[in-house]
Amino acid sequence: VEFATPTLIDLDSAPWLGSVSNIAQSGVRHLLVLDVAGAVSVALRLVFVVPEGIRVQPAVISALETGARLLPRVLRQEQARGELLYRSTHDTLTGLLNRRGLDQVVAPLAGTRTSQTHAIMYLDLDHFKQVNDNHGHAVGDQLLKYVAAQILKQVRPTDSVVRLGGDEFVVLAKNIGSAAAAYSLGKRVLNAVNSTFVSDSGLQLPVSTSIGVAIWNSEDAFDDAMRVADALMYQAKQAGGALAVEELAGSTPQDSITHVTLNQVDLTLVSAAAQPLR
């Protein structure tokens, strides 16, 4: 803290300000400087330009001194508020969005007048309970963080990845454009998650997941699309672990798909190895 109180200095006495030539060209010759410490993790330096011929009134100095005393408290409150907001919208284990965070992402999308095509990808790990039962919750938590990282590597920067709870995850792929594009993204996620997980202790466990993908038009109800994605995920799980994508019938090679019907919706099931399901 060099300027604990509001201090009037010459422009030439502020080399830390960088190039001052542009400021000097505007006719400024003096600066009013005040350092504020203890606001957040770093100190702040407030710099006010004083036009030539302007006299800084005592009331201005007094107001700055009062503000300097209040500013650290205000900034700390805002920092705490931001941290509380983050914790309320993010999963503490994986750092992904939680259901409340998902609702905040969905709200502006659902409010658009122009219809947009999005994809809702619902994932549920296969046999996750056995991991907790056989190897403990610590290993289970490591596995969940691994799966979260695998999903994040495959999605686009504009997509949102959510942990709903337990071993259930959701990916909201914004403006996906088509069911075929949703299939491509879902297949990448499926192949990335269906891998071998290595715990901190060196334990190696095979990982597999079942994924249901619903197509959501922003003019329709989001919760309805979520229910479809959830139902598709269970259909995929009953098929032995697969990817089920709504409205995809006929859009992929026939040697890698099989068609089923669920609640009058055409589905395509694609296995992790892209082989026909039997």
Short mmCIF file of all heavy atoms in Angstrom, two decimals, residues 117-155:
data_model
loop_
_atom_site.label_atom_id
_atom_site.label_comp_id
_atom_site.label_asym_id
_atom_site.label_seq_id
_atom_site.Cartn_x
_atom_site.Cartn_y
_atom_site.Cartn_z
N THR A 117 -33.36 -26.79 -32.19
CA THR A 117 -33.28 -28.23 -31.94
C THR A 117 -32.09 -28.53 -31.04
O THR A 117 -30.95 -28.26 -31.40
CB THR A 117 -33.16 -29.00 -33.26
OG1 THR A 117 -34.29 -28.72 -34.08
CG2 THR A 117 -33.09 -30.50 -32.99
N HIS A 118 -32.38 -29.10 -29.88
CA HIS A 118 -31.35 -29.49 -28.92
C HIS A 118 -31.45 -30.99 -28.67
O HIS A 118 -32.45 -31.63 -29.02
CB HIS A 118 -31.51 -28.72 -27.60
CG HIS A 118 -31.73 -27.25 -27.77
ND1 HIS A 118 -30.74 -26.39 -28.19
CD2 HIS A 118 -32.84 -26.48 -27.58
CE1 HIS A 118 -31.22 -25.15 -28.24
NE2 HIS A 118 -32.49 -25.19 -27.88
N ALA A 119 -30.44 -31.53 -28.05
CA ALA A 119 -30.46 -32.95 -27.68
C ALA A 119 -30.25 -33.08 -26.18
O ALA A 119 -29.42 -32.37 -25.60
CB ALA A 119 -29.37 -33.73 -28.43
N ILE A 120 -31.02 -33.96 -25.57
CA ILE A 120 -30.87 -34.27 -24.15
C ILE A 120 -30.35 -35.69 -24.05
O ILE A 120 -31.02 -36.65 -24.45
CB ILE A 120 -32.20 -34.14 -23.41
CG1 ILE A 120 -32.75 -32.73 -23.56
CG2 ILE A 120 -32.02 -34.50 -21.93
CD1 ILE A 120 -34.15 -32.56 -23.00
N MET A 121 -29.15 -35.83 -23.52
CA MET A 121 -28.50 -37.13 -23.41
C MET A 121 -28.51 -37.57 -21.94
O MET A 121 -27.96 -36.89 -21.08
CB MET A 121 -27.05 -37.02 -23.92
CG MET A 121 -26.31 -38.32 -24.05
SD MET A 121 -24.63 -38.04 -24.67
CE MET A 121 -24.99 -37.12 -26.17
N TYR A 122 -29.19 -38.67 -21.66
CA TYR A 122 -29.35 -39.16 -20.29
C TYR A 122 -28.47 -40.40 -20.12
O TYR A 122 -28.66 -41.39 -20.82
CB TYR A 122 -30.81 -39.51 -20.03
CG TYR A 122 -31.25 -39.46 -18.59
CD1 TYR A 122 -32.21 -38.56 -18.16
CD2 TYR A 122 -30.71 -40.34 -17.66
CE1 TYR A 122 -32.62 -38.52 -16.84
CE2 TYR A 122 -31.11 -40.31 -16.34
CZ TYR A 122 -32.07 -39.39 -15.93
OH TYR A 122 -32.47 -39.36 -14.62
N LEU A 123 -27.51 -40.35 -19.19
CA LEU A 123 -26.57 -41.46 -18.98
C LEU A 123 -26.76 -42.06 -17.59
O LEU A 123 -26.97 -41.34 -16.61
CB LEU A 123 -25.12 -40.98 -19.08
CG LEU A 123 -24.61 -40.40 -20.40
CD1 LEU A 123 -24.90 -38.92 -20.52
CD2 LEU A 123 -23.10 -40.63 -20.51
N ASP A 124 -26.67 -43.37 -17.54
CA ASP A 124 -26.70 -44.08 -16.26
C ASP A 124 -25.65 -45.18 -16.33
O ASP A 124 -25.66 -46.00 -17.26
CB ASP A 124 -28.09 -44.68 -16.02
CG ASP A 124 -28.19 -45.34 -14.66
OD1 ASP A 124 -27.88 -46.55 -14.56
OD2 ASP A 124 -28.56 -44.65 -13.71
N LEU A 125 -24.73 -45.21 -15.37
CA LEU A 125 -23.67 -46.21 -15.38
C LEU A 125 -24.25 -47.60 -15.11
O LEU A 125 -25.19 -47.75 -14.33
CB LEU A 125 -22.62 -45.88 -14.33
CG LEU A 125 -21.86 -44.56 -14.52
CD1 LEU A 125 -20.78 -44.40 -13.46
CD2 LEU A 125 -21.25 -44.46 -15.91
N ASP A 126 -23.69 -48.59 -15.74
CA ASP A 126 -24.13 -49.97 -15.54
C ASP A 126 -23.39 -50.58 -14.35
O ASP A 126 -22.15 -50.47 -14.25
CB ASP A 126 -23.86 -50.80 -16.80
CG ASP A 126 -24.58 -50.25 -18.02
OD1 ASP A 126 -25.67 -49.67 -17.85
OD2 ASP A 126 -24.04 -50.38 -19.14
N HIS A 127 -24.14 -51.20 -13.45
CA HIS A 127 -23.58 -51.95 -12.31
C HIS A 127 -22.75 -51.05 -11.38
O HIS A 127 -21.79 -51.52 -10.75
CB HIS A 127 -22.71 -53.10 -12.81
CG HIS A 127 -23.33 -53.90 -13.91
ND1 HIS A 127 -24.53 -54.57 -13.77
CD2 HIS A 127 -22.92 -54.11 -15.21
CE1 HIS A 127 -24.84 -55.17 -14.91
NE2 HIS A 127 -23.89 -54.91 -15.79
N PHE A 128 -23.13 -49.79 -11.24
CA PHE A 128 -22.35 -48.90 -10.38
C PHE A 128 -22.47 -49.30 -8.91
O PHE A 128 -21.51 -49.16 -8.14
CB PHE A 128 -22.81 -47.45 -10.57
CG PHE A 128 -22.10 -46.47 -9.69
CD1 PHE A 128 -20.77 -46.13 -9.90
CD2 PHE A 128 -22.75 -45.88 -8.61
CE1 PHE A 128 -20.10 -45.24 -9.08
CE2 PHE A 128 -22.10 -44.98 -7.79
CZ PHE A 128 -20.77 -44.66 -8.02
N LYS A 129 -23.63 -49.80 -8.51
CA LYS A 129 -23.83 -50.20 -7.11
C LYS A 129 -22.81 -51.26 -6.71
O LYS A 129 -22.34 -51.28 -5.56
CB LYS A 129 -25.25 -50.70 -6.89
CG LYS A 129 -25.58 -51.03 -5.44
CD LYS A 129 -27.03 -51.44 -5.29
CE LYS A 129 -27.38 -51.70 -3.83
NZ LYS A 129 -26.57 -52.78 -3.24
N GLN A 130 -22.48 -52.14 -7.63
CA GLN A 130 -21.50 -53.18 -7.32
C GLN A 130 -20.12 -52.60 -7.02
O GLN A 130 -19.37 -53.16 -6.20
CB GLN A 130 -21.41 -54.17 -8.47
CG GLN A 130 -22.70 -54.94 -8.73
CD GLN A 130 -22.56 -55.89 -9.90
OE1 GLN A 130 -21.47 -56.13 -10.41
NE2 GLN A 130 -23.70 -56.44 -10.36
N VAL A 131 -19.79 -51.50 -7.66
CA VAL A 131 -18.51 -50.85 -7.39
C VAL A 131 -18.47 -50.36 -5.96
O VAL A 131 -17.49 -50.59 -5.22
CB VAL A 131 -18.27 -49.68 -8.37
CG1 VAL A 131 -16.98 -48.93 -8.02
CG2 VAL A 131 -18.21 -50.19 -9.81
N ASN A 132 -19.53 -49.67 -5.53
CA ASN A 132 -19.58 -49.20 -4.14
C ASN A 132 -19.60 -50.36 -3.15
O ASN A 132 -18.93 -50.31 -2.11
CB ASN A 132 -20.82 -48.32 -3.93
CG ASN A 132 -20.65 -46.93 -4.51
OD1 ASN A 132 -19.54 -46.42 -4.61
ND2 ASN A 132 -21.76 -46.30 -4.89
N ASP A 133 -20.37 -51.38 -3.46
CA ASP A 133 -20.49 -52.51 -2.54
C ASP A 133 -19.18 -53.30 -2.43
O ASP A 133 -18.80 -53.73 -1.33
CB ASP A 133 -21.61 -53.44 -2.99
CG ASP A 133 -22.99 -52.81 -2.85
OD1 ASP A 133 -23.09 -51.78 -2.14
OD2 ASP A 133 -23.95 -53.32 -3.45
N ASN A 134 -18.50 -53.50 -3.55
CA ASN A 134 -17.31 -54.35 -3.56
C ASN A 134 -16.02 -53.61 -3.25
O ASN A 134 -15.07 -54.20 -2.72
CB ASN A 134 -17.17 -55.05 -4.92
CG ASN A 134 -18.34 -55.98 -5.21
OD1 ASN A 134 -18.98 -56.48 -4.29
ND2 ASN A 134 -18.64 -56.18 -6.49
N HIS A 135 -15.96 -52.32 -3.58
CA HIS A 135 -14.70 -51.59 -3.46
C HIS A 135 -14.78 -50.33 -2.60
O HIS A 135 -13.76 -49.69 -2.37
CB HIS A 135 -14.19 -51.21 -4.85
CG HIS A 135 -14.08 -52.38 -5.79
ND1 HIS A 135 -13.10 -53.34 -5.67
CD2 HIS A 135 -14.85 -52.74 -6.85
CE1 HIS A 135 -13.25 -54.25 -6.62
NE2 HIS A 135 -14.30 -53.91 -7.36
N GLY A 136 -15.95 -49.98 -2.15
CA GLY A 136 -16.10 -48.84 -1.26
C GLY A 136 -16.50 -47.57 -2.00
O GLY A 136 -16.29 -47.43 -3.21
N HIS A 137 -17.08 -46.63 -1.24
CA HIS A 137 -17.57 -45.40 -1.84
C HIS A 137 -16.44 -44.49 -2.31
O HIS A 137 -16.65 -43.66 -3.21
CB HIS A 137 -18.47 -44.66 -0.83
CG HIS A 137 -19.79 -45.33 -0.62
ND1 HIS A 137 -20.87 -45.15 -1.46
CD2 HIS A 137 -20.20 -46.21 0.32
CE1 HIS A 137 -21.90 -45.87 -1.04
NE2 HIS A 137 -21.51 -46.53 0.05
N ALA A 138 -15.27 -44.60 -1.71
CA ALA A 138 -14.15 -43.76 -2.16
C ALA A 138 -13.79 -44.09 -3.61
O ALA A 138 -13.57 -43.19 -4.43
CB ALA A 138 -12.94 -43.96 -1.25
N VAL A 139 -13.75 -45.38 -3.94
CA VAL A 139 -13.48 -45.79 -5.32
C VAL A 139 -14.65 -45.37 -6.21
O VAL A 139 -14.46 -44.92 -7.35
CB VAL A 139 -13.24 -47.30 -5.41
CG1 VAL A 139 -13.14 -47.75 -6.87
CG2 VAL A 139 -11.97 -47.67 -4.66
N GLY A 140 -15.86 -45.50 -5.69
CA GLY A 140 -17.02 -45.08 -6.46
C GLY A 140 -16.98 -43.59 -6.79
O GLY A 140 -17.31 -43.19 -7.92
N ASP A 141 -16.55 -42.78 -5.83
CA ASP A 141 -16.44 -41.34 -6.08
C ASP A 141 -15.37 -41.05 -7.14
O ASP A 141 -15.55 -40.18 -7.99
CB ASP A 141 -16.10 -40.61 -4.78
CG ASP A 141 -17.28 -40.54 -3.82
OD1 ASP A 141 -18.41 -40.87 -4.25
OD2 ASP A 141 -17.07 -40.18 -2.65
N GLN A 142 -14.26 -41.78 -7.06
CA GLN A 142 -13.21 -41.60 -8.08
C GLN A 142 -13.73 -41.96 -9.46
O GLN A 142 -13.42 -41.30 -10.45
CB GLN A 142 -12.00 -42.46 -7.73
CG GLN A 142 -11.26 -42.04 -6.48
CD GLN A 142 -10.17 -43.04 -6.09
OE1 GLN A 142 -9.59 -43.72 -6.94
NE2 GLN A 142 -9.89 -43.14 -4.80
N LEU A 143 -14.54 -43.02 -9.52
CA LEU A 143 -15.11 -43.44 -10.80
C LEU A 143 -16.05 -42.37 -11.35
O LEU A 143 -16.02 -42.07 -12.56
CB LEU A 143 -15.86 -44.76 -10.62
CG LEU A 143 -16.64 -45.26 -11.83
CD1 LEU A 143 -15.74 -45.42 -13.05
CD2 LEU A 143 -17.35 -46.58 -11.51
N LEU A 144 -16.86 -41.78 -10.50
CA LEU A 144 -17.78 -40.73 -10.95
C LEU A 144 -17.01 -39.53 -11.51
O LEU A 144 -17.41 -38.95 -12.52
CB LEU A 144 -18.69 -40.30 -9.80
CG LEU A 144 -19.71 -41.33 -9.32
CD1 LEU A 144 -20.43 -40.84 -8.09
CD2 LEU A 144 -20.71 -41.66 -10.43
N LYS A 145 -15.93 -39.16 -10.85
CA LYS A 145 -15.12 -38.04 -11.35
C LYS A 145 -14.46 -38.40 -12.67
O LYS A 145 -14.32 -37.55 -13.56
CB LYS A 145 -14.08 -37.64 -10.30
CG LYS A 145 -14.68 -36.97 -9.07
CD LYS A 145 -13.65 -36.34 -8.17
CE LYS A 145 -12.89 -37.37 -7.39
NZ LYS A 145 -11.97 -36.74 -6.39
N TYR A 146 -14.06 -39.66 -12.81
CA TYR A 146 -13.46 -40.12 -14.07
C TYR A 146 -14.49 -40.04 -15.20
O TYR A 146 -14.18 -39.55 -16.30
CB TYR A 146 -12.97 -41.56 -13.89
CG TYR A 146 -12.62 -42.25 -15.19
CD1 TYR A 146 -11.40 -42.01 -15.82
CD2 TYR A 146 -13.51 -43.15 -15.79
CE1 TYR A 146 -11.08 -42.66 -17.02
CE2 TYR A 146 -13.19 -43.79 -16.97
CZ TYR A 146 -11.97 -43.54 -17.58
OH TYR A 146 -11.66 -44.17 -18.76
N VAL A 147 -15.69 -40.51 -14.94
CA VAL A 147 -16.74 -40.47 -15.96
C VAL A 147 -17.06 -39.03 -16.35
O VAL A 147 -17.22 -38.72 -17.54
CB VAL A 147 -18.01 -41.19 -15.45
CG1 VAL A 147 -19.19 -40.96 -16.38
CG2 VAL A 147 -17.74 -42.69 -15.31
N ALA A 148 -17.14 -38.14 -15.36
CA ALA A 148 -17.40 -36.73 -15.65
C ALA A 148 -16.33 -36.16 -16.58
O ALA A 148 -16.64 -35.44 -17.54
CB ALA A 148 -17.47 -35.93 -14.35
N ALA A 149 -15.07 -36.50 -16.30
CA ALA A 149 -13.97 -36.00 -17.14
C ALA A 149 -14.05 -36.58 -18.55
O ALA A 149 -13.79 -35.87 -19.53
CB ALA A 149 -12.63 -36.35 -16.49
N GLN A 150 -14.42 -37.86 -18.66
CA GLN A 150 -14.54 -38.48 -19.98
C GLN A 150 -15.63 -37.82 -20.81
O GLN A 150 -15.47 -37.61 -22.02
CB GLN A 150 -14.82 -39.98 -19.83
CG GLN A 150 -13.66 -40.78 -19.24
CD GLN A 150 -12.43 -40.75 -20.14
OE1 GLN A 150 -11.51 -39.96 -19.94
NE2 GLN A 150 -12.43 -41.60 -21.15
N ILE A 151 -16.73 -37.50 -20.17
CA ILE A 151 -17.83 -36.84 -20.89
C ILE A 151 -17.40 -35.45 -21.36
O ILE A 151 -17.64 -35.06 -22.50
CB ILE A 151 -19.08 -36.75 -20.00
CG1 ILE A 151 -19.58 -38.15 -19.64
CG2 ILE A 151 -20.18 -35.95 -20.70
CD1 ILE A 151 -20.70 -38.15 -18.62
N LEU A 152 -16.76 -34.70 -20.47
CA LEU A 152 -16.35 -33.33 -20.79
C LEU A 152 -15.39 -33.29 -21.98
O LEU A 152 -15.39 -32.33 -22.75
CB LEU A 152 -15.70 -32.68 -19.57
CG LEU A 152 -16.66 -32.25 -18.45
CD1 LEU A 152 -15.87 -31.83 -17.22
CD2 LEU A 152 -17.57 -31.12 -18.91
N LYS A 153 -14.60 -34.34 -22.14
CA LYS A 153 -13.64 -34.37 -23.25
C LYS A 153 -14.33 -34.50 -24.60
O LYS A 153 -13.75 -34.15 -25.63
CB LYS A 153 -12.66 -35.54 -23.07
CG LYS A 153 -11.69 -35.38 -21.92
CD LYS A 153 -10.82 -36.62 -21.78
CE LYS A 153 -9.88 -36.52 -20.59
NZ LYS A 153 -9.08 -37.77 -20.42
N GLN A 154 -15.56 -35.01 -24.62
CA GLN A 154 -16.23 -35.31 -25.88
C GLN A 154 -17.22 -34.24 -26.32
O GLN A 154 -17.53 -34.13 -27.50
CB GLN A 154 -16.96 -36.66 -25.78
CG GLN A 154 -16.07 -37.83 -25.40
CD GLN A 154 -14.90 -37.99 -26.34
OE1 GLN A 154 -15.03 -37.85 -27.56
NE2 GLN A 154 -13.72 -38.27 -25.78
N VAL A 155 -17.74 -33.47 -25.38
CA VAL A 155 -18.78 -32.51 -25.73
C VAL A 155 -18.19 -31.21 -26.25
O VAL A 155 -16.99 -30.96 -26.12
CB VAL A 155 -19.69 -32.23 -24.51
CG1 VAL A 155 -20.34 -33.51 -24.03
CG2 VAL A 155 -18.90 -31.57 -23.38
#
